[in-house]
């Protein structure tokens, strides 16, 4: 979460019933965790002091406005979603934006989320995560999108360090993107671990791509597009 990652995922043509549609899809890591979360009298969590914050996110919004992408997957918008949308509101529609991450909590508020081991915050579990996954799908107004849902991962690690993954409802989102008559695709946006410690890697090993977990619900003979908006993963295209 320390570097801004922006890359075009792919340019594809999907055949369906002798019909072809070419579209541009992209993925954008906004790197939008707040610099710090201050727990009054207990600790200050350095979440993302090197992030792009307001200035960098405003530049992203300008870039997107000039790119002409048909739709793009967003990760880590968190506290800068309004700035990201500022230059593109007239061109694009967004899925559900969940909550921002609070930047200041008192001790009582913090104990709604974190667990203590004596006077120290536990790193291996929390009472609950902030109600945000940082994910979204943003798409041109001419494109129809439906079926939005999200699912959190069962295994995560890190509270005041290791990417603070347990404080975020990390998982994946699903959308049906309709590019035209008979041209529907299943889009998955996956939020992977921020770090690569032994504990992070152990948590990640228990996960499976959602298209394998949800085939009964989602496999309608449509094309599937899973997107991982952070390296070393890359968005991949897998026809079914």
């Amino acid at each position: 979460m320390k570097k801004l990652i922006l890359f075009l995922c792919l340019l594809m043509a999907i055949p369906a019933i002798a019909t072809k549609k070419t579209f541009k899809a992209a993925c954008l890591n906004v790197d939008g965790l707040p610099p710090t979360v201050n727990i009054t009298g207990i600790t200050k969590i350095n979440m993302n002091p090197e992030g792009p914050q307001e200035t960098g996110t405003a530049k992203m919004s300008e870039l997107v406005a000039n790119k002409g992408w048909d739709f793009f997957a967003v990760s880590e918008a968190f506290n800068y979603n309004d700035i990201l949308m500022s230059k593109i509101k007239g061109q694009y529609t967004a899925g559900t934006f969940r909550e921002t991450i609070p930047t200041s909590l008192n001790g009582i508020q913090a104990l709604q989320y974190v667990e203590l081991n004596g006077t120290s915050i536990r790193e291996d579990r929390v009472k609950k995560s902030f109600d945000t996954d940082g994910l979204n799908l943003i798409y041109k107004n001419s494109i129809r999108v439906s079926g939005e849902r999200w699912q959190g991962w069962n295994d995560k690690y890190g509270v005041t360090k290791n990417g603070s993954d347990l404080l975020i409802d990390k998982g994946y989102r699903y959308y049906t993107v309709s590019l035209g008559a008979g041209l529907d695709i299943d889009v998955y946006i996956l939020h992977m671990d921020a770090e690569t410690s032994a504990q992070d890697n152990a948590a990640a090993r228990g996960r499976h791509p959602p298209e394998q977990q949800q085939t009964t619900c989602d496999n309608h003979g449509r094309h599937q597009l899973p997107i991982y908006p952070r390296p070393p993963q890359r968005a991949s295209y897998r026809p079914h």
Side-chain angles (χ1 to χ4, degrees):
M1 293 189 184
K2 294 182 178 178
K3 293 181 180 178
L4 170 65
I5 302 126
L6 170 62
F7 53 90
L8 279 175
C9 298
L10 59 168
L11 176 64
M12 298 171 290
I14 294 183
I17 318 177
T19 300
K20 181 180 287 187
K21 179 77 173 183
T22 299
F23 65 92
K24 288 182 180 180
C27 45
L28 176 64
N29 186 312
V30 179
D31 197 16
L33 284 171
T36 60
V37 174
N38 185 42
I39 303 177
T40 306
I42 299 177
T43 189
K44 178 183 286 187
I45 302 173
N46 289 313
M47 296 195 84
N48 193 25
E50 299 175 358
Q53 301 174 39
E54 290 88 351
T55 301
T57 309
K59 291 180 180 178
M60 291 182 227
S61 186
E62 292 175 4
L63 181 147
V64 173
N66 294 319
K67 282 293 184 181
W69 300 330
D70 293 294
F71 64 89
F72 60 102
V74 169
S75 69
E76 300 183 13
F78 295 127
N79 290 32
Y80 302 96
N81 183 71
D82 288 346
I83 299 174
L84 177 64
M85 295 297 298
S86 62
K87 301 294 184 182
I88 61 174
K89 284 181 180 178
Q91 305 173 54
Y92 289 89
T93 301
T96 300
F97 176 72
R98 296 171 69 182
E99 293 182 0
T100 59
I101 295 174
T103 57
S104 181
L105 299 166
N106 61 41
I108 294 174
Q109 292 170 326
L111 288 175
Q112 297 176 38
Y113 301 98
V114 302
E115 290 193 21
L116 298 179
N117 182 10
T119 58
S120 300
I121 295 175
R122 295 189 62 139
E123 293 293 331
D124 59 341
R125 68 188 190 203
V126 292
K127 293 176 182 176
K128 66 176 182 179
S129 302
F130 299 132
D131 185 17
T132 183
D133 57 3
L135 300 176
N136 213 335
L137 185 72
I138 300 177
Y139 49 94
K140 281 185 175 178
N141 296 334
S142 58
I143 294 175
R144 184 169 60 87
V145 171
S146 60
E148 178 186 60
R149 69 172 183 272
W150 51 79
Q151 176 66 48
W153 303 125
N154 291 327
D155 298 319
K156 295 176 287 186
Y157 180 76
V159 178
T160 66
K161 49 191 176 183
N162 291 88
S164 303
D165 286 348
L166 279 164
L167 286 176
I168 300 161
D169 190 18
K170 282 194 173 183
Y172 70 89
R173 285 202 186 195
Y174 167 84
Y175 297 87
T176 299
V177 175
S178 300
L179 300 169
L183 293 174
D184 293 350
I185 58 176
D186 295 330
V187 174
Y188 298 89
I189 308 168
L190 295 89
H191 198 167
M192 310 307 287
D193 269 33
E195 304 294 339
T196 56
S197 70
Q199 295 93 332
D200 287 294
N201 291 338
R205 280 194 292 270
R207 299 173 189 161
H208 301 282
E211 64 269 21
Q212 295 180 9
Q213 296 178 341
Q214 304 287 340
T215 50
T216 301
C217 300
D218 298 338
N219 189 359
H220 307 291
R222 296 195 292 253
H223 295 76
Q224 294 182 345
L225 175 60
I227 303 175
Y228 308 76
R230 70 174 295 270
Q233 295 85 7
R234 290 290 185 270
S236 59
Y237 170 65
R238 197 169 97 177
H240 287 264

